[in-house]
Amino acid sequence: MTPDTLEGLLRAIARTIVEHADELTALDQAIGDGDHGLNMKRGFEHVAGQAAELSQRPLAEAVTEAGKTLVMTVGGASGPLYGTFFMTFGKALPEQPALPDLAEAFDAAVAAVERRGKSTAGQKTLLDVLVPVQQQLRVPGEQLLARIKQTALHAADATTPMRAIRGRASFLGERSIGHMGPGARSCALVIATLCDFLEG
Ligand code: ADP
Ligand code: MG
């Protein structure tokens, strides 16, 4: 990945999050405290601000640093989880990653999020998007990016009928059912943007 591509990618993800901040806020108002849109917007705007500088570094280092920025600037429960994902993913990347390297790094990052959140898929969190995407990365064949994008968006939708077991939404018990998980939606947006950008 060239510095220009990496810079463009980081900016594209931030743009998507900014464009969807109100939607994420509304989702978090329904089953949380309403700060997820602002949390994510703040964090990814910081990453976009660093994009030019980060993109000059080796890929692993750039991704790890972006994760540190997210930990420091997103806040809430999601900040440390997103940060953990990117820091672990970055540290696991070799200099010129091929698909199996990406899948392996993704495995490590998902496991780190599970440990950090003391959570697993099925609990109406971002892991409900990360885990199906992780599985798609192991399915070889055509149209990987398109498949991953669809998987991520569908997986976020599929959190709507779930009952939350982790995070603030779990305080609502049964009343968390019927709303899409804010973290699942933001995670799907990040992944879908990444796929669109790399395909373009
Ligand atoms: P907060 O809940 O502190 O207000 P945010 O609103 O930014 O933080 O993020 C909420 C999202 O974080 C949830 O929708 C969920 O996806 C994710 N989340 C919260 N707690 C956990 C956890 N223990 N494990 C995994 N994900 C979690
Ligand atoms: Mg919140």
Side-chain angles (χ1 to χ4, degrees), residues 124-154:
K124 201 177 180 107
T125 73
L126 69 171
L127 283 165
D128 290 304
V129 170
L130 291 176
V131 169
V133 167
Q134 177 184 22
Q135 289 160 356
Q136 279 298 320
L137 276 167
R138 294 284 178 203
V139 181
E142 292 294 288
Q143 303 209 302
L144 180 67
L145 289 169
R147 263 195 286 124
I148 287 177
K149 177 182 172 179
Q150 282 315 307
T151 298
L153 293 171
H154 284 138

Side-chain angles (χ1 to χ4, degrees), residues 48-123:
Q50 296 175 322
E53 191 262 319
L54 286 180
S55 63
Q56 298 303 317
R57 307 209 205 172
L59 182 63
E61 203 179 302
V63 175
T64 306
E65 284 304 310
K68 287 184 190 167
T69 297
L70 293 174
V71 170
M72 289 187 295
T73 59
V74 174
S78 58
L81 295 169
Y82 270 97
T84 294
F85 184 89
F86 283 99
M87 288 189 299
T88 312
F89 188 69
K91 284 192 187 119
L93 284 179
E95 199 36 57
Q96 303 277 345
L99 184 55
D101 303 314
L102 292 173
E104 214 164 287
F106 206 92
D107 288 347
V110 170
V113 172
E114 288 174 338
R115 279 195 301 275
R116 178 92 207 199
K118 299 187 173 55
S119 52
T120 55
Q123 300 182 324

Side-chain angles (χ1 to χ4, degrees), residues 28 33 35-36 39 76-78 81 117 119 125-126 166-168 182-184:
D28 199 36
D33 58 355
D35 62 353
H36 190 58
N39 287 347
S78 58
L81 295 169
S119 52
T125 73
L126 69 171
R166 284 288 179 274
R168 277 177 203 283

